[in-house]
Amino acid sequence: MDDKGVMMKLKKVKIQMHHELTGIYDASEIDSFFYLLIDFKLGISKTDFILNPDKEIETTAVFFFNEAIDELKEECPIQYIIGETEFYGLVFKVTNATLIPRPETEELVDWIVSDNKDNYELSVLDIGTGSGCIPISLAKNLNSAVVTSTDVSEDALHIAKQNAKNNKAKIKFICKDILRYSDTEQKYDVIVSNPPYVRVLEKQVIKKNVLAYEPHLALFVSDNDPLIFYRKIVELSKKILTNNGVLYFEINQYLGEETVNLIKQAGFKNVILKKDMSGNDRMIKAYGL
């Protein structure tokens, strides 16, 4: 203690994190949390820490790390603790009103960007925006794309709008329940969606950090009709895709064949099922009617 209050060396914070979190996380995860937290709170990189592990931090920072450790003990996602995450080279604000963007979704975005990087002034519709990671990444990486994005949650849209502003991306956001979405005059060259697709029966294999903290509205569907959102989006896409327009989905890895069959039965052609980097069925591309 001194006149500034509680002081602590950074290396002691790291030791404390390992002491209190071992058994919940492995050592590499704890290290990762530590480096994320010191970068976020103190602007100190991993290299900076290695060069100066005896750097002392003051009271407010000590309290921040103690609170972060307590939240990590409860398996709160680190992204919610710091309030942001990186996706496709951009920084996104996240809260428990939005899903935390996944690497698999980055793969979907990259597929769309790779397919359309030479196309100009594409009209894009994103359905179920969450944090806005998909439409914002597309708007930043596709030439002059005109991007519209929808979500049923006003809270999620509030975060998505902040992310669009922070990343200087022009997006038209609409609050809309896709299950009640009717035909519109607007046509789109690309429609993309990462809708809810986790069946209730799969809850038993979902980690606590997802199940306890991320919004169930954006995650779960009924066991009785797990493809409800895909069916609705496919039927809508038949009406509002332009000639030669393309539909992209992120999907439930266990329902790849069923989702492909649903899309084919609706009349779409050249339906392509693609695996993610982990080897799981994860993405679909389908050309319009």
Side-chain angles (χ1 to χ4, degrees):
M1 293 283 292
D2 63 12
D3 59 356
K4 294 182 180 179
V6 179
M7 301 288 286
M8 183 181 287
K9 292 181 178 180
L10 268 182
K11 67 180 181 183
K12 187 174 179 181
V13 174
K14 188 179 181 186
I15 292 168
Q16 180 183 342
M17 287 186 69
H18 277 271
H19 175 71
E20 298 197 35
L21 298 176
T22 296
I24 305 173
Y25 308 96
D26 63 37
S28 63
E29 281 184 293
I30 298 169
D31 283 345
S32 176
F33 295 154
F34 173 74
Y35 293 124
L36 283 169
L37 289 168
I38 65 171
D39 181 55
F40 172 75
K41 181 64 178 177
L42 306 170
I44 294 174
S45 69
K46 180 178 179 179
T47 302
D48 293 334
F49 169 75
I50 292 170
L51 292 174
N52 188 14
D54 290 320
K55 179 178 175 61
E56 291 192 325
I57 58 174
E58 298 183 2
T59 304
T60 55
V62 173
F63 288 163
F64 169 81
F65 285 107
N66 285 335
E67 289 178 359
I69 290 169
D70 287 342
E71 290 181 278
L72 287 167
K73 284 180 180 178
E74 296 299 318
E75 298 184 52
C76 180
I78 188 70
Q79 295 91 338
Y80 288 157
I81 294 173
I82 64 177
E84 64 183 36
T85 192
E86 186 174 317
F87 180 90
Y88 211 67
L90 302 170
V91 176
F92 288 85
K93 175 182 174 66
V94 290
T95 71
N96 57 11
T98 67
L99 291 181
I100 297 166
R102 266 55 173 190
E104 297 88 349
T105 308
E106 286 186 300
E107 293 182 63
L108 175 65
V109 167
D110 195 58
W111 195 9
I112 300 170
V113 170
S114 297
D115 284 350
N116 296 280
K117 61 185 177 182
D118 296 325
N119 297 331
Y120 286 80
E121 297 185 354
L122 284 172
S123 56
V124 178
L125 174 64
D126 164 64
I127 298 172
T129 192
S131 65
C133 63
I134 291 176
I136 293 168
S137 299
L138 294 177
K140 296 291 287 186
N141 288 278
L142 292 176
N143 295 308
S144 306
V146 178
V147 183
T148 302
S149 193
T150 72
D151 203 289
V152 69
S153 168
E154 289 277 13
D155 291 337
L157 284 172
H158 177 70
I159 299 301
K161 289 174 182 177
Q162 289 185 46
N163 283 326
K165 181 178 180 181
N166 292 344
N167 285 292
K168 297 180 172 59
K170 185 177 180 181
I171 313 286
K172 179 182 179 182
F173 289 105
I174 300 172
C175 187
K176 183 77 71 172
D177 181 352
I178 188 58
L179 297 179
R180 292 186 169 89
Y181 206 112
S182 59
D183 194 3
T184 67
E185 293 182 2
Q186 175 72 48
K187 298 285 186 179
Y188 299 94
D189 302 306
V190 171
I191 296 176
V192 56
S193 185
N194 176 19
Y197 60 64
V198 181
R199 293 170 292 182
V200 174
L201 64 85
E202 294 165 29
K203 279 188 176 183
Q204 59 187 336
V205 297
I206 301 295
K207 292 182 178 180
K208 179 184 175 182
N209 64 334
V210 175
L211 195 60
Y213 293 96
E214 299 201 50
H216 287 201
L217 179 66
L219 280 171
F220 292 107
V221 288
S222 164
D223 294 341
N224 297 326
D225 193 7
L227 299 180
I228 182 172
F229 288 98
Y230 296 90
R231 186 179 306 106
K232 175 61 181 181
I233 294 168
V234 164
E235 289 304 314
L236 179 64
S237 298
K238 288 167 64 176
K239 301 174 184 178
I240 65 174
L241 266 178
T242 57
N243 292 335
N244 300 315
V246 188
L247 174 63
Y248 295 87
F249 279 127
E250 183 172 324
I251 66 166
N252 186 318
Q253 66 186 39
Y254 305 114
L255 297 174
E257 183 177 342
E258 292 87 341
T259 311
V260 166
N261 289 337
L262 182 155
I263 297 170
K264 285 182 175 178
Q265 289 169 9
F268 282 77
K269 55 194 176 184
N270 298 331
V271 182
I272 301 168
L273 176 62
K274 188 174 183 179
K275 296 183 183 298
D276 60 27
M277 286 189 295
S278 299
N280 298 314
D281 291 339
R282 186 64 64 190
M283 297 159 275
I284 286 177
K285 175 169 71 173
Y287 290 88
L289 308 179

